[in-house]
PDB file of all heavy atoms in Angstrom:
ATOM      1  N   GLY A   1      23.834  -5.404-111.109  1.00  0.00           N
ATOM      2  CA  GLY A   1      22.831  -4.884-112.016  1.00  0.00           C
ATOM      3  C   GLY A   1      23.390  -3.868-113.006  1.00  0.00           C
ATOM      4  O   GLY A   1      22.962  -3.837-114.163  1.00  0.00           O
ATOM      5  N   ILE A   2      24.358  -3.037-112.534  1.00  0.00           N
ATOM      6  CA  ILE A   2      24.963  -2.046-113.440  1.00  0.00           C
ATOM      7  C   ILE A   2      25.721  -2.734-114.566  1.00  0.00           C
ATOM      8  O   ILE A   2      25.790  -2.221-115.685  1.00  0.00           O
ATOM      9  CB  ILE A   2      25.907  -1.127-112.634  1.00  0.00           C
ATOM     10  CG1 ILE A   2      25.100  -0.252-111.676  1.00  0.00           C
ATOM     11  CG2 ILE A   2      26.730  -0.252-113.568  1.00  0.00           C
ATOM     12  CD1 ILE A   2      24.238   0.793-112.343  1.00  0.00           C
ATOM     13  N   GLY A   3      26.283  -3.905-114.308  1.00  0.00           N
ATOM     14  CA  GLY A   3      26.920  -4.667-115.371  1.00  0.00           C
ATOM     15  C   GLY A   3      25.926  -5.447-116.214  1.00  0.00           C
ATOM     16  O   GLY A   3      26.110  -5.628-117.401  1.00  0.00           O
ATOM     17  N   LEU A   4      24.848  -5.914-115.561  1.00  0.00           N
ATOM     18  CA  LEU A   4      23.863  -6.757-116.225  1.00  0.00           C
ATOM     19  C   LEU A   4      23.151  -6.053-117.378  1.00  0.00           C
ATOM     20  O   LEU A   4      23.050  -6.603-118.484  1.00  0.00           O
ATOM     21  CB  LEU A   4      22.834  -7.233-115.195  1.00  0.00           C
ATOM     22  CG  LEU A   4      21.658  -8.030-115.749  1.00  0.00           C
ATOM     23  CD1 LEU A   4      22.073  -9.444-116.110  1.00  0.00           C
ATOM     24  CD2 LEU A   4      20.505  -8.071-114.742  1.00  0.00           C
ATOM     25  N   VAL A   5      22.634  -4.863-117.150  1.00  0.00           N
ATOM     26  CA  VAL A   5      21.792  -4.183-118.136  1.00  0.00           C
ATOM     27  C   VAL A   5      22.535  -3.913-119.439  1.00  0.00           C
ATOM     28  O   VAL A   5      22.047  -4.312-120.516  1.00  0.00           O
ATOM     29  CB  VAL A   5      21.189  -2.891-117.545  1.00  0.00           C
ATOM     30  CG1 VAL A   5      20.469  -2.090-118.613  1.00  0.00           C
ATOM     31  CG2 VAL A   5      20.238  -3.227-116.400  1.00  0.00           C
ATOM     32  N   PRO A   6      23.706  -3.267-119.424  1.00  0.00           N
ATOM     33  CA  PRO A   6      24.416  -3.101-120.704  1.00  0.00           C
ATOM     34  C   PRO A   6      24.868  -4.441-121.288  1.00  0.00           C
ATOM     35  O   PRO A   6      24.980  -4.581-122.513  1.00  0.00           O
ATOM     36  CB  PRO A   6      25.612  -2.217-120.338  1.00  0.00           C
ATOM     37  CG  PRO A   6      25.768  -2.323-118.869  1.00  0.00           C
ATOM     38  CD  PRO A   6      24.398  -2.576-118.320  1.00  0.00           C
ATOM     39  N   GLY A   7      25.128  -5.437-120.434  1.00  0.00           N
ATOM     40  CA  GLY A   7      25.492  -6.752-120.928  1.00  0.00           C
ATOM     41  C   GLY A   7      24.383  -7.391-121.713  1.00  0.00           C
ATOM     42  O   GLY A   7      24.615  -8.004-122.773  1.00  0.00           O
ATOM     43  N   VAL A   8      23.139  -7.285-121.227  1.00  0.00           N
ATOM     44  CA  VAL A   8      21.986  -7.828-121.947  1.00  0.00           C
ATOM     45  C   VAL A   8      21.830  -7.124-123.294  1.00  0.00           C
ATOM     46  O   VAL A   8      21.593  -7.771-124.330  1.00  0.00           O
ATOM     47  CB  VAL A   8      20.706  -7.698-121.107  1.00  0.00           C
ATOM     48  CG1 VAL A   8      19.474  -8.048-121.946  1.00  0.00           C
ATOM     49  CG2 VAL A   8      20.770  -8.598-119.879  1.00  0.00           C
ATOM     50  N   PHE A   9      21.949  -5.818-123.284  1.00  0.00           N
ATOM     51  CA  PHE A   9      21.829  -5.055-124.536  1.00  0.00           C
ATOM     52  C   PHE A   9      22.902  -5.492-125.537  1.00  0.00           C
ATOM     53  O   PHE A   9      22.612  -5.742-126.724  1.00  0.00           O
ATOM     54  CB  PHE A   9      21.964  -3.557-124.261  1.00  0.00           C
ATOM     55  CG  PHE A   9      21.729  -2.681-125.449  1.00  0.00           C
ATOM     56  CD1 PHE A   9      20.447  -2.202-125.746  1.00  0.00           C
ATOM     57  CD2 PHE A   9      22.775  -2.329-126.309  1.00  0.00           C
ATOM     58  CE1 PHE A   9      20.235  -1.387-126.857  1.00  0.00           C
ATOM     59  CE2 PHE A   9      22.559  -1.522-127.407  1.00  0.00           C
ATOM     60  CZ  PHE A   9      21.289  -1.059-127.686  1.00  0.00           C
ATOM     61  N   ALA A  10      24.150  -5.638-125.051  1.00  0.00           N
ATOM     62  CA  ALA A  10      25.253  -6.044-125.940  1.00  0.00           C
ATOM     63  C   ALA A  10      25.049  -7.467-126.453  1.00  0.00           C
ATOM     64  O   ALA A  10      25.341  -7.756-127.615  1.00  0.00           O
ATOM     65  CB  ALA A  10      26.579  -5.926-125.191  1.00  0.00           C
ATOM     66  N   GLY A  11      24.568  -8.346-125.587  1.00  0.00           N
ATOM     67  CA  GLY A  11      24.337  -9.721-126.020  1.00  0.00           C
ATOM     68  C   GLY A  11      23.264  -9.823-127.083  1.00  0.00           C
ATOM     69  O   GLY A  11      23.394 -10.566-128.072  1.00  0.00           O
ATOM     70  N   SER A  12      22.187  -9.069-126.876  1.00  0.00           N
ATOM     71  CA  SER A  12      21.120  -9.063-127.877  1.00  0.00           C
ATOM     72  C   SER A  12      21.586  -8.444-129.191  1.00  0.00           C
ATOM     73  O   SER A  12      21.263  -8.927-130.285  1.00  0.00           O
ATOM     74  CB  SER A  12      19.913  -8.295-127.336  1.00  0.00           C
ATOM     75  OG  SER A  12      18.888  -8.198-128.299  1.00  0.00           O
ATOM     76  N   LEU A  13      22.353  -7.347-129.100  1.00  0.00           N
ATOM     77  CA  LEU A  13      22.876  -6.698-130.287  1.00  0.00           C
ATOM     78  C   LEU A  13      23.801  -7.641-131.053  1.00  0.00           C
ATOM     79  O   LEU A  13      23.744  -7.733-132.298  1.00  0.00           O
ATOM     80  CB  LEU A  13      23.625  -5.425-129.909  1.00  0.00           C
ATOM     81  CG  LEU A  13      24.252  -4.633-131.066  1.00  0.00           C
ATOM     82  CD1 LEU A  13      23.185  -4.168-132.045  1.00  0.00           C
ATOM     83  CD2 LEU A  13      25.032  -3.425-130.531  1.00  0.00           C
ATOM     84  N   ALA A  14      24.654  -8.363-130.337  1.00  0.00           N
ATOM     85  CA  ALA A  14      25.571  -9.302-130.978  1.00  0.00           C
ATOM     86  C   ALA A  14      24.790 -10.376-131.723  1.00  0.00           C
ATOM     87  O   ALA A  14      25.124 -10.732-132.863  1.00  0.00           O
ATOM     88  CB  ALA A  14      26.495  -9.919-129.945  1.00  0.00           C
ATOM     89  N   ALA A  15      23.748 -10.927-131.086  1.00  0.00           N
ATOM     90  CA  ALA A  15      22.934 -11.956-131.736  1.00  0.00           C
ATOM     91  C   ALA A  15      22.238 -11.399-132.959  1.00  0.00           C
ATOM     92  O   ALA A  15      22.166 -12.043-134.008  1.00  0.00           O
ATOM     93  CB  ALA A  15      21.916 -12.496-130.732  1.00  0.00           C
ATOM     94  N   THR A  16      21.735 -10.170-132.854  1.00  0.00           N
ATOM     95  CA  THR A  16      21.021  -9.535-133.955  1.00  0.00           C
ATOM     96  C   THR A  16      21.945  -9.325-135.167  1.00  0.00           C
ATOM     97  O   THR A  16      21.567  -9.615-136.311  1.00  0.00           O
ATOM     98  CB  THR A  16      20.436  -8.195-133.503  1.00  0.00           C
ATOM     99  OG1 THR A  16      19.544  -8.412-132.402  1.00  0.00           O
ATOM    100  CG2 THR A  16      19.684  -7.514-134.627  1.00  0.00           C
ATOM    101  N   LEU A  17      23.154  -8.801-134.901  1.00  0.00           N
ATOM    102  CA  LEU A  17      24.070  -8.547-135.999  1.00  0.00           C
ATOM    103  C   LEU A  17      24.619  -9.852-136.571  1.00  0.00           C
ATOM    104  O   LEU A  17      24.766  -9.968-137.800  1.00  0.00           O
ATOM    105  CB  LEU A  17      25.222  -7.667-135.492  1.00  0.00           C
ATOM    106  CG  LEU A  17      24.832  -6.252-135.031  1.00  0.00           C
ATOM    107  CD1 LEU A  17      26.055  -5.512-134.477  1.00  0.00           C
ATOM    108  CD2 LEU A  17      24.199  -5.471-136.167  1.00  0.00           C
ATOM    109  N   LEU A  18      24.920 -10.798-135.699  1.00  0.00           N
ATOM    110  CA  LEU A  18      25.467 -12.080-136.185  1.00  0.00           C
ATOM    111  C   LEU A  18      24.505 -12.807-137.104  1.00  0.00           C
ATOM    112  O   LEU A  18      24.906 -13.399-138.104  1.00  0.00           O
ATOM    113  CB  LEU A  18      25.830 -12.952-134.983  1.00  0.00           C
ATOM    114  CG  LEU A  18      26.452 -14.336-135.287  1.00  0.00           C
ATOM    115  CD1 LEU A  18      27.805 -14.142-135.976  1.00  0.00           C
ATOM    116  CD2 LEU A  18      26.633 -15.142-134.005  1.00  0.00           C
ATOM    117  N   HIS A  19      23.218 -12.741-136.767  1.00  0.00           N
ATOM    118  CA  HIS A  19      22.211 -13.445-137.568  1.00  0.00           C
ATOM    119  C   HIS A  19      21.474 -12.512-138.540  1.00  0.00           C
ATOM    120  O   HIS A  19      20.439 -12.873-139.072  1.00  0.00           O
ATOM    121  CB  HIS A  19      21.208 -14.127-136.632  1.00  0.00           C
ATOM    122  CG  HIS A  19      21.847 -15.192-135.780  1.00  0.00           C
ATOM    123  ND1 HIS A  19      22.121 -16.452-136.253  1.00  0.00           N
ATOM    124  CD2 HIS A  19      22.288 -15.182-134.492  1.00  0.00           C
ATOM    125  CE1 HIS A  19      22.681 -17.186-135.294  1.00  0.00           C
ATOM    126  NE2 HIS A  19      22.810 -16.421-134.218  1.00  0.00           N
ATOM    127  N   ARG A  20      21.999 -11.289-138.691  1.00  0.00           N
ATOM    128  CA  ARG A  20      21.482 -10.340-139.659  1.00  0.00           C
ATOM    129  C   ARG A  20      19.988 -10.070-139.475  1.00  0.00           C
ATOM    130  O   ARG A  20      19.204 -10.115-140.422  1.00  0.00           O
ATOM    131  CB  ARG A  20      21.752 -10.845-141.103  1.00  0.00           C
ATOM    132  CG  ARG A  20      23.226 -11.014-141.385  1.00  0.00           C
ATOM    133  CD  ARG A  20      23.466 -11.513-142.792  1.00  0.00           C
ATOM    134  NE  ARG A  20      24.892 -11.692-143.066  1.00  0.00           N
ATOM    135  CZ  ARG A  20      25.405 -12.128-144.213  1.00  0.00           C
ATOM    136  NH1 ARG A  20      24.585 -12.424-145.221  1.00  0.00           N
ATOM    137  NH2 ARG A  20      26.699 -12.268-144.377  1.00  0.00           N
ATOM    138  N   GLU A  21      19.627  -9.751-138.255  1.00  0.00           N
ATOM    139  CA  GLU A  21      18.231  -9.489-137.928  1.00  0.00           C
ATOM    140  C   GLU A  21      17.987  -8.049-137.492  1.00  0.00           C
ATOM    141  O   GLU A  21      16.882  -7.711-137.088  1.00  0.00           O
ATOM    142  CB  GLU A  21      17.771 -10.448-136.830  1.00  0.00           C
ATOM    143  CG  GLU A  21      17.800 -11.907-137.250  1.00  0.00           C
ATOM    144  CD  GLU A  21      17.517 -12.872-136.111  1.00  0.00           C
ATOM    145  OE1 GLU A  21      17.519 -12.430-134.945  1.00  0.00           O
ATOM    146  OE2 GLU A  21      17.299 -14.065-136.376  1.00  0.00           O
ATOM    147  N   PHE A  22      19.000  -7.211-137.580  1.00  0.00           N
ATOM    148  CA  PHE A  22      18.836  -5.818-137.168  1.00  0.00           C
ATOM    149  C   PHE A  22      17.935  -5.086-138.162  1.00  0.00           C
ATOM    150  O   PHE A  22      18.125  -5.140-139.361  1.00  0.00           O
ATOM    151  CB  PHE A  22      20.188  -5.119-137.106  1.00  0.00           C
ATOM    152  CG  PHE A  22      20.130  -3.722-136.515  1.00  0.00           C
ATOM    153  CD1 PHE A  22      20.233  -3.537-135.147  1.00  0.00           C
ATOM    154  CD2 PHE A  22      19.957  -2.624-137.329  1.00  0.00           C
ATOM    155  CE1 PHE A  22      20.179  -2.272-134.607  1.00  0.00           C
ATOM    156  CE2 PHE A  22      19.883  -1.350-136.795  1.00  0.00           C
ATOM    157  CZ  PHE A  22      20.002  -1.168-135.411  1.00  0.00           C
ATOM    158  N   ARG A  23      16.920  -4.404-137.603  1.00  0.00           N
ATOM    159  CA  ARG A  23      15.978  -3.666-138.480  1.00  0.00           C
ATOM    160  C   ARG A  23      15.400  -2.513-137.684  1.00  0.00           C
ATOM    161  O   ARG A  23      14.833  -2.695-136.606  1.00  0.00           O
ATOM    162  CB  ARG A  23      14.856  -4.589-138.956  1.00  0.00           C
ATOM    163  CG  ARG A  23      13.890  -3.927-139.923  1.00  0.00           C
ATOM    164  CD  ARG A  23      13.053  -4.988-140.622  1.00  0.00           C
ATOM    165  NE  ARG A  23      12.218  -5.724-139.694  1.00  0.00           N
ATOM    166  CZ  ARG A  23      10.957  -5.392-139.393  1.00  0.00           C
ATOM    167  NH1 ARG A  23      10.407  -4.323-139.927  1.00  0.00           N
ATOM    168  NH2 ARG A  23      10.259  -6.127-138.556  1.00  0.00           N
ATOM    169  N   LEU A  24      15.539  -1.287-138.200  1.00  0.00           N
ATOM    170  CA  LEU A  24      15.012  -0.124-137.535  1.00  0.00           C
ATOM    171  C   LEU A  24      13.493  -0.115-137.598  1.00  0.00           C
ATOM    172  O   LEU A  24      12.915  -0.313-138.661  1.00  0.00           O
ATOM    173  CB  LEU A  24      15.580   1.150-138.167  1.00  0.00           C
ATOM    174  CG  LEU A  24      17.067   1.424-137.955  1.00  0.00           C
ATOM    175  CD1 LEU A  24      17.505   2.640-138.742  1.00  0.00           C
ATOM    176  CD2 LEU A  24      17.354   1.624-136.471  1.00  0.00           C
ATOM    177  N   GLN A  25      12.862   0.110-136.452  1.00  0.00           N
ATOM    178  CA  GLN A  25      11.407   0.165-136.365  1.00  0.00           C
ATOM    179  C   GLN A  25      11.014   1.328-135.465  1.00  0.00           C
ATOM    180  O   GLN A  25      11.603   1.522-134.412  1.00  0.00           O
ATOM    181  CB  GLN A  25      10.826  -1.140-135.784  1.00  0.00           C
ATOM    182  CG  GLN A  25      11.179  -2.377-136.566  1.00  0.00           C
ATOM    183  CD  GLN A  25      10.665  -3.623-135.886  1.00  0.00           C
ATOM    184  OE1 GLN A  25       9.445  -3.831-135.749  1.00  0.00           O
ATOM    185  NE2 GLN A  25      11.556  -4.496-135.445  1.00  0.00           N
TER     186      GLN A  25
END
């Protein structure tokens, strides 16, 4: 679990940046 949580965050961040979907809300 300690590896899972930051991994999920990093995976989502990578997808967001790769597809240019990052937006501060």
Side-chain angles (χ1 to χ4, degrees):
I2 292 292
L4 174 75
V5 173
V8 170
F9 185 90
S12 177
L13 179 61
T16 301
L17 296 177
L18 181 63
H19 296 280
R20 300 179 180 179
E21 296 173 348
F22 188 88
R23 183 164 63 91
L24 290 175
Q25 301 176 65

